[in-house]
C-alpha cells in the first residue's frame, strides 16, 4: 500500500536508509557459503537471548513453526486440549490442531482484547495440557493473573510482542515455559521473509526444540522424534542482526505515535483500546480503535481508503467461527467479546517511520467520518 497518501505500512522508508548494512550482511553470508543455520544463526540466537534475558533462543522458520515446535516439545498430541484466545491470528490455533490436539477457545477481555483468565478458568478440564496466551498487538497478557487460575505450562505466543515487557519488567516470551516470536516483515522486529524464534529457560525443552527443528535429530541421521524442517536461514539471521539493535528505537517511535493518536483523539467520539498503565508493557505492533454500530467499522475503512488512508482489520472472523473449526460446535454466542472485536476493531497506520503530519491526517479524516455520520 505504498502508493497511498498515508500507507498502512511501508518498510521501504526505513530499510532504504540502512541498505548498505543490509547488503554487507548479504555479502557476508554469500562469502561464507553457509546458508542454513550456522554461525549467523547462532550469533543471532545469542543476541536475542541477551536482549530478552533468556537462557535459550532457537531460530526457526516462522512464528507459526515456533508455536508448533513449542507444543511438540511439550509432547502435545491427539486428544490433548490446549486453551487459546478465540481472537488472535490463525497460527495460534492452527499449530494446536495440526498436532491432533483440540484448540479450546477462551474469550478475551473487551478492554484489552487479550485472553481473559476467567474465561480460561471456565474452559479447564482434566484433559487440558497447556495454555497459549497471545500478547496481541504487542501488549503483554497479565500472566500473573493467568497463573492464578492454572499451573499448567504456558506457551507465550509473543509473535507480535518482541520487546514488550510485563508489569514486573519481564520480556514477553520469557515468562512461560516457552515463548514464540515471528519475524514476519510487519512485526516490530521484522525480517526480509519468514522467520521465527523459540525461547525458553529450560535446558531440556531447548534441546528438544533444537532437535525438532531438524526433523527430530539431535545428531545427524539419528532421529529421536518426528520433527520437521523448522530451520532459520543464515541470510535471514544476518539481516535480522542488522535490525535487532534498532528495535528499541523502532518501538519508541511506535509508542510516540500511539501517544499522538491518543491525544488527538481525546474528546472525540472514538473508542480507544486504552493502553496499559506502564508504557513498557505495549509495543504497538498495531494501534487499534473500536468502531461501534452495525457495519460502521467497515464503512469507516472504506471512507478512509477513498481518502488514500490504509487500514487493516485484525481479525475479521474470530477463530471459533472459522470453517475449519466448525466441528467444535461454536456459534455467534460462544465468545461474545471475541465476536465484537472481530466486527468493531480497526488498525490504523503506526509503523516507525510514519510522520506526525500523517497521523494528524488520519485522525482528522476519522473525525470527519464521525461528524458526517451524526
Ligand atoms: C499472534 C500470532 N501468532 C503467530 C503468528 C505466526 O507467525 P508467522 O507469520 O511468522 O508464521 C503471527 C504472525 O502473523 C501472529 O500474529
Amino acid at each position: 500500500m505504498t502508493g497511498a497518501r498515508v500507507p498502512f505500512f511501508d518498510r521501504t522508508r526505513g530499510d532504504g536508509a540502512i541498505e548498505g548494512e543490509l547488503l554487507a550482511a548479504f555479502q557476508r553470508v554469500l562469502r561464507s557459503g553457509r546458508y542454513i543455520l550456522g554461525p549467523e544463526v547462532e550469533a543471532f540466537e545469542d543476541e536475542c537471548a541477551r536482549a530478552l534475558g533468556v537462557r535459550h533462543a532457537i531460530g526457526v522458520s516462522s512464528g507459526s513453526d515456533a508455536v508448533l515446535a513449542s507444543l511438540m516439545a511439550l509432547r502435545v498430541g491427539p486428544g490433548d486440549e490446549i486453551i487459546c484466545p478465540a481472537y488472535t491470528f490463525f497460527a495460534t490455533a492452527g499449530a494446536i490442531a495440526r498436532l491432533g490436539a483440540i484448540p479450546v477457545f477462551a474469550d478475551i477481555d473487551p478492554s484489552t482484547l487479550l485472553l481473559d483468565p476467567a474465561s480460561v478458568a471456565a474452559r479447564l478440564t482434566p484433559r487440558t495440557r497447556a495454555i497459549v496466551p497471545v500478547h496481541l498487538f504487542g501488549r503483554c497478557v497479565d500472566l500473573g493473573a493467568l497463573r492464578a487460575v492454572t499451573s499448567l505450562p504456558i506457551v507465550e505466543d509473543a509473535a507480535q510482542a518482541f520487546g514488550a515487557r510485563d508489569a514486573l519488567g519481564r520480556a514477553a516470551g520469557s515468562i512461560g515455559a516457552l515463548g514464540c516470536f515471528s519475524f514476519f516483515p510487519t512485526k516490530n522486529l521484522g525480517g526480509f521473509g519468514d522467520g521465527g524464534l523459540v525461547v525458553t529457560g529450560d535446558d531440556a525443552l531447548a534441546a528438544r526444540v533444537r532437535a525438532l527443528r531438524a526433523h527430530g535429530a539431535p545428531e545427524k541421521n539419528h532421529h529421536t522424534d518426528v520433527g520437521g524442517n523448522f530451520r532459520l536461514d543464515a541470510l535471514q539471521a544476518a539481516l535480522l542482526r542488522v535490525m535487532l539493535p534498532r528495535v528499541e528505537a523502532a518501538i519508541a517511535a511506535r509508542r510516540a505515535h500511539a501517544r499522538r493518536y491518543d491525544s488527538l483523539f481525546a474528546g472525540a467520539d472514538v473508542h480507544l483500546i486504552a493502553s496499559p498503565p506502564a508504557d513498557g508493557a505495549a509495543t504497538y505492533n498495531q494501534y487499534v480503535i473500536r468502531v461501534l454500530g452495525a457495519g460502521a467499522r467497515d464503512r469507516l475503512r472504506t471512507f478512509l481508503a477513498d481518502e488514500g488512508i490504509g487500514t487493516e482489520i485484525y481479525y475479521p472472523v474470530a477463530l471459533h467461527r472459522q470453517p475449519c473449526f466448525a466441528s467444535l460446535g461454536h456459534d455467534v454466542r460462544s465468545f461474545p467479546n471475541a465476536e465484537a472485536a472481530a466486527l468493531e476493531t480497526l488498525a490504523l497506520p503506526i509503523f516507525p517511520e510514519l510522520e506526525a503530519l500523517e497521523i494528524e491526517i488520519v485522525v482528522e479524516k476519522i473525525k470527519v467520518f464521525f461528524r458526517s455520520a451524526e
Side-chain angles (χ1 to χ4, degrees):
M1 252 202 265
T2 43
R5 183 172 170 205
V6 183
F8 177 68
F9 183 75
D10 183 0
R11 269 289 289 265
T12 62
R13 289 192 194 178
D15 294 347
I18 53 171
E19 193 173 305
E21 277 187 67
L22 294 168
L23 289 174
F26 175 74
Q27 197 172 54
R28 207 167 60 230
V29 174
L30 185 69
R31 291 181 179 171
S32 78
R34 294 284 304 272
Y35 299 142
I36 294 176
L37 299 179
E40 287 291 344
V41 171
E42 284 162 24
F44 177 60
E45 291 174 341
D46 287 348
E47 287 158 11
C48 285
R50 268 200 301 282
L52 298 169
V54 289
R55 201 165 149 81
H56 303 282
I58 303 137
V60 292
S61 35
S62 68
S64 304
D65 289 341
V67 182
L68 186 64
S70 295
L71 295 173
M72 290 170 92
L74 291 174
R75 300 184 196 279
V76 167
D80 290 340
E81 295 182 1
I82 310 293
I83 300 179
C84 73
Y87 178 70
T88 171
F89 181 59
F90 179 80
T92 317
I96 298 166
R98 277 185 63 189
L99 295 174
I102 302 161
V104 173
F105 296 117
D107 210 349
I108 54 168
D109 176 335
S111 66
T112 61
L113 307 177
L114 302 176
L115 183 64
D116 178 2
S119 182
V120 172
R123 305 285 285 148
L124 289 165
T125 77
R127 290 177 302 283
T128 313
R129 283 284 321 281
I131 319 291
V132 187
V134 180
H135 303 303
L136 199 69
F137 305 145
R139 177 175 187 166
C140 273
V141 176
D142 179 354
L143 295 185
L146 190 59
R147 263 282 159 264
V149 303
T150 174
S151 58
L152 286 167
I154 290 175
V155 175
E156 295 174 71
D157 183 339
Q160 303 181 8
F162 196 101
R165 294 193 175 267
D166 75 355
L168 302 176
R170 299 173 295 185
S174 72
I175 307 159
L178 298 129
C180 309
F181 295 93
S182 163
F183 303 126
F184 186 78
T186 58
K187 300 294 191 271
N188 283 5
L189 179 55
F192 296 78
D194 281 313
L197 190 79
V198 176
V199 301
T200 181
D202 183 305
D203 295 351
L205 286 175
R208 277 182 59 73
V209 172
R210 278 189 196 285
L212 286 162
R213 79 174 166 183
H215 287 296
E219 295 164 51
K220 200 170 175 191
N221 296 323
H222 188 79
H223 300 266
T224 50
D225 283 290
V226 177
N229 176 356
F230 307 141
R231 297 172 309 215
L232 183 64
D233 290 344
L235 180 58
Q236 209 51 250
L239 297 172
L240 281 162
R241 291 182 69 200
V242 177
M243 305 308 278
L244 181 60
R246 297 179 158 85
V247 73
E248 280 305 325
I251 291 170
R254 286 174 182 270
R255 285 188 183 130
H257 296 338
R259 295 289 78 80
R260 181 170 287 270
Y261 272 124
D262 288 349
S263 66
L264 291 171
F265 278 133
D269 189 17
V270 173
H271 293 261
L272 305 179
I273 307 299
S275 44
D279 237 9
T283 53
Y284 294 96
N285 194 231
Q286 306 300 344
Y287 183 91
V288 171
I289 61 169
R290 195 187 272 279
V291 188
L292 302 180
R297 185 268 315 269
D298 295 334
R299 283 197 299 280
L300 172 61
R301 184 161 196 240
T302 305
F303 173 84
L304 292 174
D306 290 346
E307 296 285 346
I309 296 169
T311 60
E312 267 300 338
I313 297 172
Y314 299 96
Y315 301 89
V317 182
L319 292 188
H320 63 288
R321 306 260 274 135
Q322 293 291 348
C324 64
F325 295 135
S327 63
L328 297 175
H330 298 302
D331 65 24
V332 67
R333 289 157 305 179
S334 304
F335 305 105
N337 297 331
E339 202 75 47
L343 291 176
E344 295 170 352
T345 57
L346 187 67
L348 306 181
I350 191 153
F351 57 98
E353 298 78 16
L354 194 66
E355 286 168 19
L357 181 64
E358 292 178 307
I359 295 175
E360 282 163 30
I361 292 171
V362 174
V363 172
E364 190 45 46
K365 290 298 171 192
I366 291 175
K367 288 180 177 172
V368 168
F369 173 83
F370 282 110
R371 277 202 296 274
S372 63
E374 273 167 10

